[in-house]
Amino acid sequence: MTDVRDLGPRQCGDLGSIAASLLAEGTSGQVEATTSSAIFIRMHSDAYQPGIVALVGTDQPRGPVTVRLPHWPLARTLLSAGERVRVVDGGLILDSNQRVTLPTKRWVAKPVRELRSNRMRVVQRLETIVDHEPAFSITVGRSGAALTGKDVTAAVRAGLPAAVSLLAGRGSGLTPAGDDVVTGIVLATSLLWSAGEPTWSPDHLRALARGYSSHDISKALVAAAANGQGCEFLHDLIDACSAGDEPACLEARERLARWGESSGLDAAYGVMVGLREAETVASD
């Protein structure tokens, strides 16, 4: 049996809290898809649906469903679409009896400071610093005009279900822009609830995520956002804006701009809309 644990100590990697639950001892799963930067595995577990975890290198951002491996280059050669895996003694055992050791360190998104009282400060800073318009690759209305930020805002003001109906699965890429924006809106709403804002509860957001109509990788990210967890750079940006830490704002924005083709900034755009329209969302 080939064991890749010697290519990097386990403490150098980490795994998100949802990934850790899905990768409990004795669970099994199957590789759904692979890209140059991630391996997506569907675990057969009732802990979180749709049960997707993403194996990546340590150069990628931490996230709730992410497993960052110090031995990523070799792990990537061992796992291909359709490969079955099972979790035994802290490692993924493959059909070929090869083993990919999992890290033990868990990552949980840090709380955002004073979000409820600083909500509009965060919105104003995001409106300046994000400086990004998602490419939805769809049109709306009889005129065939391209979907704009005004259309997104109007949909959110009509209620979260209306926004989801408009945006789910819209755009190109592994996680379409519409899905990334919805992830940001849901994350903003969940964080506000945690901060004491009377808005959609996590239970209602999780119900929304369960009915989300897109592929399961996007659905997993929306479900994580419903639990108040997103990419670490996104949490860093929101927290820095709330604290008024300008250098940290700029650093987080720069890191988000490098995450995916446009996923980081699309999600940040969604957070901005979700926070700005929080009162409308709360009354929905």
Side-chain angles (χ1 to χ4, degrees):
M1 179 184 295
T2 300
D3 191 334
V4 298
R5 76 173 75 194
D6 294 333
L7 296 185
R10 293 170 68 161
Q11 61 266 31
C12 287
D14 47 56
L15 68 171
S17 57
I18 293 177
S21 297
L22 290 169
L23 293 168
E25 183 72 15
T27 55
S28 62
Q30 187 170 14
V31 178
E32 286 283 299
T34 64
T35 71
S36 60
S37 59
I39 298 168
F40 298 95
I41 303 176
R42 182 192 301 278
M43 300 303 297
H44 306 314
S45 169
D46 294 329
Y48 288 93
Q49 292 300 319
I52 298 292
V53 299
L55 307 186
V56 300
T58 52
D59 60 329
Q60 296 296 309
R62 298 173 179 86
V65 301
T66 298
V67 181
R68 302 197 315 153
L69 300 173
H71 40 259
W72 160 252
L74 181 55
R76 183 167 170 257
T77 68
L78 297 176
L79 289 155
S80 56
E83 181 94 35
R84 291 179 297 180
V85 301
R86 62 188 190 279
V87 181
V88 179
D89 294 333
L92 287 177
I93 306 301
L94 317 185
D95 278 342
S96 58
N97 281 331
Q98 294 171 312
R99 171 186 169 94
V100 176
T101 298
L102 297 170
T104 57
K105 182 178 179 180
R106 292 195 183 193
W107 176 83
V108 179
K110 66 181 182 182
V112 176
R113 292 169 284 181
E114 306 296 332
L115 180 59
R116 185 179 185 185
S117 57
N118 292 335
R119 177 174 66 87
M120 290 314 299
R121 172 201 281 183
V122 176
V123 170
Q124 290 165 4
R125 192 66 195 99
L126 289 176
E127 287 177 337
T128 300
I129 199 171
V130 171
D131 190 28
H132 173 77
E133 186 86 7
F136 298 107
S137 303
I138 56 174
T139 58
V140 294
R142 294 180 181 274
S143 65
L147 183 68
T148 68
K150 290 183 179 180
D151 299 310
V152 175
T153 297
V156 172
R157 289 177 178 174
L160 281 184
V164 166
S165 178
L166 176 68
L167 296 171
R170 307 296 187 177
S172 59
L174 182 64
T175 55
D179 292 343
D180 293 327
V181 172
V182 170
T183 297
I185 294 170
V186 171
L187 178 63
T189 305
S190 183
L191 291 176
L192 282 172
W193 170 271
S194 298
E197 189 77 20
T199 185
W200 279 51
S201 70
D203 284 344
H204 286 94
L205 290 173
R206 284 190 284 267
L208 186 77
R210 283 194 293 272
Y212 194 74
S213 181
S214 187
H215 63 69
D216 281 349
I217 295 172
S218 287
K219 192 171 181 177
L221 297 177
V222 173
N227 286 286
Q229 299 187 56
C231 167
E232 66 170 320
F233 300 156
L234 200 53
H235 284 268
D236 290 345
L237 178 62
I238 301 167
D239 183 66
C241 289
S242 183
D245 187 338
E246 185 65 15
C249 285
L250 294 173
E251 181 180 3
R253 197 271 182 201
E254 182 179 346
R255 289 179 173 179
L256 280 170
R258 297 197 298 266
W259 177 36
E261 185 175 342
S262 62
S263 288
L265 293 181
D266 289 342
Y269 180 92
V271 168
M272 178 184 71
V273 173
L275 293 177
R276 188 180 63 212
E277 305 302 327
E279 293 176 0
T280 303
V281 170
S283 65
D284 177 20

